[in-house]
PDB file of all heavy atoms in Angstrom:
ATOM      1  N   ARG J 155     -76.644 -83.368 -75.325  1.00 95.00           N
ATOM      2  CA  ARG J 155     -75.416 -84.007 -75.804  1.00 95.00           C
ATOM      3  C   ARG J 155     -75.602 -84.591 -77.200  1.00 95.00           C
ATOM      4  O   ARG J 155     -74.709 -84.491 -78.050  1.00 95.00           O
ATOM      5  CB  ARG J 155     -74.990 -85.106 -74.824  1.00 95.00           C
ATOM      6  CG  ARG J 155     -74.433 -84.575 -73.514  1.00 95.00           C
ATOM      7  CD  ARG J 155     -73.982 -85.692 -72.599  1.00 95.00           C
ATOM      8  NE  ARG J 155     -72.928 -86.491 -73.191  1.00 95.00           N
ATOM      9  CZ  ARG J 155     -72.382 -87.555 -72.604  1.00 95.00           C
ATOM     10  NH1 ARG J 155     -72.820 -87.929 -71.402  1.00 95.00           N
ATOM     11  NH2 ARG J 155     -71.426 -88.228 -73.194  1.00 95.00           N
ATOM     12  N   PHE J 156     -76.766 -85.214 -77.425  1.00 94.00           N
ATOM     13  CA  PHE J 156     -77.021 -85.775 -78.754  1.00 94.00           C
ATOM     14  C   PHE J 156     -77.000 -84.671 -79.807  1.00 94.00           C
ATOM     15  O   PHE J 156     -76.367 -84.822 -80.867  1.00 94.00           O
ATOM     16  CB  PHE J 156     -78.370 -86.489 -78.773  1.00 94.00           C
ATOM     17  CG  PHE J 156     -78.773 -86.936 -80.156  1.00 94.00           C
ATOM     18  CD1 PHE J 156     -78.269 -88.098 -80.690  1.00 94.00           C
ATOM     19  CD2 PHE J 156     -79.646 -86.171 -80.933  1.00 94.00           C
ATOM     20  CE1 PHE J 156     -78.620 -88.514 -81.977  1.00 94.00           C
ATOM     21  CE2 PHE J 156     -80.004 -86.565 -82.206  1.00 94.00           C
ATOM     22  CZ  PHE J 156     -79.492 -87.740 -82.732  1.00 94.00           C
ATOM     23  N   ASN J 157     -77.702 -83.574 -79.548  1.00 94.00           N
ATOM     24  CA  ASN J 157     -77.748 -82.475 -80.514  1.00 94.00           C
ATOM     25  C   ASN J 157     -76.363 -81.890 -80.767  1.00 94.00           C
ATOM     26  O   ASN J 157     -76.026 -81.511 -81.903  1.00 94.00           O
ATOM     27  CB  ASN J 157     -78.693 -81.380 -80.028  1.00 94.00           C
ATOM     28  CG  ASN J 157     -80.155 -81.803 -80.089  1.00 94.00           C
ATOM     29  OD1 ASN J 157     -80.520 -82.649 -80.904  1.00 94.00           O
ATOM     30  ND2 ASN J 157     -80.988 -81.243 -79.229  1.00 94.00           N
ATOM     31  N   GLU J 158     -75.568 -81.795 -79.699  1.00 95.00           N
ATOM     32  CA  GLU J 158     -74.214 -81.249 -79.840  1.00 95.00           C
ATOM     33  C   GLU J 158     -73.379 -82.107 -80.790  1.00 95.00           C
ATOM     34  O   GLU J 158     -72.781 -81.590 -81.746  1.00 95.00           O
ATOM     35  CB  GLU J 158     -73.539 -81.186 -78.474  1.00 95.00           C
ATOM     36  CG  GLU J 158     -72.103 -80.679 -78.521  1.00 95.00           C
ATOM     37  CD  GLU J 158     -71.418 -80.728 -77.176  1.00 95.00           C
ATOM     38  OE1 GLU J 158     -72.100 -81.020 -76.167  1.00 95.00           O
ATOM     39  OE2 GLU J 158     -70.186 -80.490 -77.122  1.00 95.00           O
ATOM     40  N   TYR J 159     -73.347 -83.412 -80.553  1.00 95.00           N
ATOM     41  CA  TYR J 159     -72.551 -84.300 -81.402  1.00 95.00           C
ATOM     42  C   TYR J 159     -73.166 -84.467 -82.786  1.00 95.00           C
ATOM     43  O   TYR J 159     -72.443 -84.611 -83.781  1.00 95.00           O
ATOM     44  CB  TYR J 159     -72.376 -85.666 -80.725  1.00 95.00           C
ATOM     45  CG  TYR J 159     -71.533 -85.609 -79.489  1.00 95.00           C
ATOM     46  CD1 TYR J 159     -72.006 -86.102 -78.268  1.00 95.00           C
ATOM     47  CD2 TYR J 159     -70.253 -85.058 -79.522  1.00 95.00           C
ATOM     48  CE1 TYR J 159     -71.225 -86.045 -77.124  1.00 95.00           C
ATOM     49  CE2 TYR J 159     -69.461 -85.000 -78.379  1.00 95.00           C
ATOM     50  CZ  TYR J 159     -69.963 -85.489 -77.184  1.00 95.00           C
ATOM     51  OH  TYR J 159     -69.190 -85.429 -76.052  1.00 95.00           O
ATOM     52  N   HIS J 160     -74.481 -84.434 -82.846  1.00 94.00           N
ATOM     53  CA  HIS J 160     -75.147 -84.549 -84.145  1.00 94.00           C
ATOM     54  C   HIS J 160     -74.815 -83.337 -85.019  1.00 94.00           C
ATOM     55  O   HIS J 160     -74.530 -83.490 -86.223  1.00 94.00           O
ATOM     56  CB  HIS J 160     -76.660 -84.651 -83.942  1.00 94.00           C
ATOM     57  CG  HIS J 160     -77.432 -84.771 -85.219  1.00 94.00           C
ATOM     58  ND1 HIS J 160     -77.987 -83.667 -85.856  1.00 94.00           N
ATOM     59  CD2 HIS J 160     -77.728 -85.841 -86.009  1.00 94.00           C
ATOM     60  CE1 HIS J 160     -78.591 -84.059 -86.954  1.00 94.00           C
ATOM     61  NE2 HIS J 160     -78.459 -85.368 -87.067  1.00 94.00           N
ATOM     62  N   ASN J 161     -74.853 -82.156 -84.439  1.00 95.00           N
ATOM     63  CA  ASN J 161     -74.520 -80.947 -85.205  1.00 95.00           C
ATOM     64  C   ASN J 161     -73.078 -80.978 -85.679  1.00 95.00           C
ATOM     65  O   ASN J 161     -72.769 -80.600 -86.822  1.00 95.00           O
ATOM     66  CB  ASN J 161     -74.766 -79.698 -84.354  1.00 95.00           C
ATOM     67  CG  ASN J 161     -76.242 -79.451 -84.105  1.00 95.00           C
ATOM     68  OD1 ASN J 161     -77.100 -79.920 -84.866  1.00 95.00           O
ATOM     69  ND2 ASN J 161     -76.559 -78.731 -83.040  1.00 95.00           N
ATOM     70  N   ARG J 162     -72.177 -81.427 -84.804  1.00 96.00           N
ATOM     71  CA  ARG J 162     -70.767 -81.533 -85.206  1.00 96.00           C
ATOM     72  C   ARG J 162     -70.603 -82.560 -86.326  1.00 96.00           C
ATOM     73  O   ARG J 162     -69.826 -82.347 -87.264  1.00 96.00           O
ATOM     74  CB  ARG J 162     -69.912 -81.957 -84.007  1.00 96.00           C
ATOM     75  CG  ARG J 162     -69.754 -80.897 -82.941  1.00 96.00           C
ATOM     76  CD  ARG J 162     -68.869 -81.430 -81.838  1.00 96.00           C
ATOM     77  NE  ARG J 162     -68.808 -80.523 -80.693  1.00 96.00           N
ATOM     78  CZ  ARG J 162     -68.160 -80.801 -79.564  1.00 96.00           C
ATOM     79  NH1 ARG J 162     -67.526 -81.966 -79.445  1.00 96.00           N
ATOM     80  NH2 ARG J 162     -68.147 -79.931 -78.566  1.00 96.00           N
TER      81      ARG J 162
END
Side-chain angles (χ1 to χ4, degrees):
R155 288 182 61 182
F156 173 81
N157 289 333
E158 178 185 352
Y159 293 125
H160 180 265
N161 290 337
R162 290 181 187 176

